[in-house]
């Protein structure tokens, strides 16, 4: 075993991560290599120093209450900043829409473009609503209709929806499948 | 289990924008974060600022926490990234930063003032040696020795394979040993 490999294994040994075979190989090397034995003592010393330094960190001198207050104020500030960023974004968007409307009044082509965009949007919305029927009693979905639809919340705050469906069996619908 | 459930509830509420829930979470993890950023920055003032920055960053991105790792791992990752940027930005390895250091890892020498000076010097050398390590080496040393985390936990936090953690740790210890050699061998003093 080379000294470089032995030094790597010494590090693993420090964390009890050596396999029995690695452990045996390392011991053999250490018995024969004075330099690596010395390195092992040094590494153990460094590890103890780090451990002692870690133990000395106890938070003494750290004013937790004052930090909490400072953090609370910063969080409030952060929250209001993000609210104002959102408001600014909305205001900016409104301003852009107004500017666009004014320019559309001057340039008819822009007006046509805006009107057709709105028409496309309305069409998409209409198609979406047509293919995703709302869950209301009496709503027919081809193979039957919704008889009752209620919502409730349990004591843990979880929301449930109770749905009673009347299915017309003549059209080949399986009740078991629904259940 | 009750503790875990209440943490889950706090996380859910914090994600929904509840400030009290977020502060409650931070209260639980404050000692861990402080310990981590202090050992990374080696300076109490920097540690407080870095901790506050860590918590603000966590607040800004709590909605993106998906629970794929534990909350502690997620927060550790933010603290490490914050400290990394902080140390790089501030880069204040001036002599004055070590002025306040108190001897930590040597036996009580209060009745021997000359040894206190030596101990203080040793603490300073240890801190300087830690700070002189490249970020990726310092982080594994701190997570292993100051947070007492397993290789697997370190691997999860740093998002590197366990083998990389092992080799980085061995290399970091090698560098530290070389730097601290003079103070670790009493016969050379």
């Amino acid at each position: 075993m080379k000294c470089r490999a032995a030094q790597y294994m010494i590090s693993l040994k420090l964390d009890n991560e050596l396999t029995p075979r690695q452990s045996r190989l390392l011991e053999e090397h250490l018995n024969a290599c004075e330099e690596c034995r010395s390195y092992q003592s040094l590494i153990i010393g460094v590890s103890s120093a780090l451990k002692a330094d870690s133990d000395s960190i106890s938070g003494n001198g750290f004013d937790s209450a004052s930090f909490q207050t400072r953090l609370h104020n910063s969080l409030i500030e952060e929250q209001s900043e993000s609210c104002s960023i959102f408001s600014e974004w909305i205001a900016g968007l409104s301003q852009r829409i107004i500017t666009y409307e004014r320019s559309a009044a001057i340039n008819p082509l822009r007006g046509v473009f805006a009107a057709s965009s709105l028409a496309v949007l309305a069409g998409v919305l209409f198609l979406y609503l047509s293919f995703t029927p709302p869950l209301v009693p009496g709503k027919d979905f081809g193979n039957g209709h919704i008889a009752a639809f209620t919502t409730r919340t349990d004591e843990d705050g979880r929301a449930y929806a109770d749905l009673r469906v009347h299915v017309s069996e003549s059209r080949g619908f399986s009740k078991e499948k629904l259940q | 289990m009750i503790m875990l459930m209440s943490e889950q509830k706090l996380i859910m509420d914090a994600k929904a924008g509840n400030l009290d829930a977020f502060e409650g979470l931070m209260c639980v993890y404050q000692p861990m974060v402080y310990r981590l950023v202090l050992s990374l920055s080696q300076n109490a003032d920097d540690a407080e600022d870095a901790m506050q920055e860590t918590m603000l960053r966590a607040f800004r991105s709590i909605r993106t926490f998906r629970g794929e790792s534990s909350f502690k791992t997620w927060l550790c990752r933010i603290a490490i990234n914050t400290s990394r940027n902080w140390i790089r930005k501030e880069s204040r390895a001036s002599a004055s930063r070590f002025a306040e250091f108190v001897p930590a890892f040597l036996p009580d020498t209060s009745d021997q003032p000359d040894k206190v000076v030596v101990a203080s010097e040793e603490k300073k050398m240890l801190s300087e040696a830690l700070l002189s390590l490249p970020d990726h080496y310092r982080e594994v040393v701190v997570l292993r020795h100051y947070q007492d985390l397993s290789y697997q936990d370190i691997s999860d936090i740093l998002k590197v394979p366990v083998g990389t953690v092992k080799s980085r740790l061995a290399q970091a210890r090698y560098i530290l040993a070389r730097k601290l050699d003079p103070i670790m061998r009493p016969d050379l003093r």
Side-chain angles (χ1 to χ4, degrees), chain A residues 4 7-8 10-12 14-15 17 35 38-39 42-43 45-64 66-68 70-72 74-76 78-79 82, chain B residues 17 19 22-23 26-27 30 34-35 38-39 42 48-49 51-52 55-56 59-60 104-105 123 126-127 130 141 144-146 151 163 166-167 169-171 173-174 176-178 180-181 184-185:
Chain A
R4 194 72 184 147
Q7 285 162 2
Y8 174 72
I10 288 168
S11 175
L12 292 181
L14 211 61
D15 300 320
E17 293 281 343
E35 199 181 325
S38 166
Y39 178 75
L42 187 58
I43 281 286
V46 169
S47 180
S48 307
L50 288 167
K51 169 85 173 66
D53 191 39
S54 164
D55 291 344
S56 74
I57 299 176
S58 58
N60 287 345
F62 172 63
D63 186 351
S64 179
S66 140
F67 176 79
Q68 291 291 340
R70 198 150 62 97
L71 178 68
H72 178 76
S74 303
L75 289 172
I76 297 274
E78 185 75 25
Q79 213 171 32
S82 49
Chain B
L19 201 61
F22 181 80
E23 286 184 70
M26 292 303 108
C27 246
Q30 183 187 297
Y34 182 70
R35 196 179 174 77
L38 179 59
S39 42
Q42 293 289 309
E48 253 191 78
D49 292 340
M51 178 160 70
Q52 176 156 338
M55 292 179 175
L56 285 174
F59 181 68
R60 281 178 211 133
F105 58 80
K123 167 71 178 167
L126 179 67
S127 297
L130 269 173
V141 168
R144 181 75 194 110
H145 289 278
Y146 290 77
Y151 286 173
K166 287 181 186 175
S167 56
L169 202 48
Q171 186 60 25
R173 282 169 172 160
Y174 177 84
L176 283 178
R178 292 287 167 249
L180 299 172
D181 196 359
M184 289 297 153
R185 293 178 200 270

Side-chain angles (χ1 to χ4, degrees), chain A residues 70-131:
Chain A
R70 198 150 62 97
L71 178 68
H72 178 76
N73 293 338
S74 303
L75 289 172
I76 297 274
E77 207 173 294
E78 185 75 25
Q79 213 171 32
S80 57
E81 255 177 39
S82 49
C83 283
S84 70
I85 286 170
F86 183 68
S87 320
E88 277 170 23
W89 184 77
I90 292 286
L93 188 66
S94 318
Q95 190 57 45
R96 258 182 244 140
I97 290 170
I98 292 166
T99 315
Y100 193 84
E101 277 177 357
R102 279 182 191 155
S103 67
I106 299 163
N107 185 352
L109 267 179
R110 282 197 160 194
V112 170
F113 176 72
S116 45
S117 302
L118 280 173
V120 168
L121 273 175
V124 168
L125 190 65
F126 173 76
L127 287 172
Y128 174 77
L129 288 175
S130 308
F131 286 103

Side-chain angles (χ1 to χ4, degrees), chain B residues 7-177:
Chain B
E7 181 180 296
Q8 284 301 317
K9 177 90 171 79
L10 284 175
I11 293 169
M12 277 172 65
D13 290 351
K15 284 178 85 170
N18 185 330
L19 201 61
D20 289 339
F22 181 80
E23 286 184 70
L25 268 177
M26 292 303 108
C27 246
V28 173
Y29 286 105
Q30 183 187 297
M32 183 276 291
V33 175
Y34 182 70
R35 196 179 174 77
L36 179 57
V37 294
L38 179 59
S39 42
L40 282 169
S41 69
Q42 293 289 309
N43 180 286
D45 291 336
D46 284 354
E48 253 191 78
D49 292 340
M51 178 160 70
Q52 176 156 338
E53 182 62 25
T54 297
M55 292 179 175
L56 285 174
R57 282 188 186 195
F59 181 68
R60 281 178 211 133
S61 51
I62 184 100
R63 282 185 182 84
T64 65
F65 174 68
R66 292 190 297 274
E68 287 164 358
S69 59
S70 71
F71 187 77
K72 182 184 171 185
T73 299
W74 182 76
L75 195 59
C76 267
R77 210 175 286 147
I78 296 178
I80 286 175
N81 288 334
T82 307
S83 300
R84 199 182 290 165
N85 294 340
W86 198 270
I87 292 167
R88 199 171 297 150
K89 195 169 66 181
E90 300 298 318
S91 186
R92 5 174 145 164
S94 63
S96 62
R97 68 180 293 129
F98 300 108
E100 67 200 61
F101 283 151
V102 177
F105 58 80
L106 285 187
D108 182 18
T109 52
S110 49
D111 55 338
Q112 298 158 290
D114 55 327
K115 290 199 173 176
V116 172
V117 174
V118 172
S120 191
E121 189 61 25
E122 289 179 355
K123 167 71 178 167
K124 179 183 163 183
M125 281 186 75
L126 179 67
S127 297
E128 279 178 331
L130 269 173
L131 277 173
S132 71
L133 287 176
D135 291 339
H136 56 289
Y137 287 154
R138 185 172 56 251
E139 286 157 12
V140 286
V141 168
V142 163
L143 291 171
R144 181 75 194 110
H145 289 278
Y146 290 77
Q147 294 285 323
D148 207 19
L149 294 177
S150 68
Y151 286 173
Q152 187 58 57
D153 289 340
I154 298 172
S155 148
D156 291 342
I157 290 171
L158 298 176
K159 289 187 174 173
V160 294
V162 170
T164 307
V165 173
K166 287 181 186 175
S167 56
R168 281 186 188 176
L169 202 48
Q171 186 60 25
R173 282 169 172 160
Y174 177 84
I175 298 171
L176 283 178

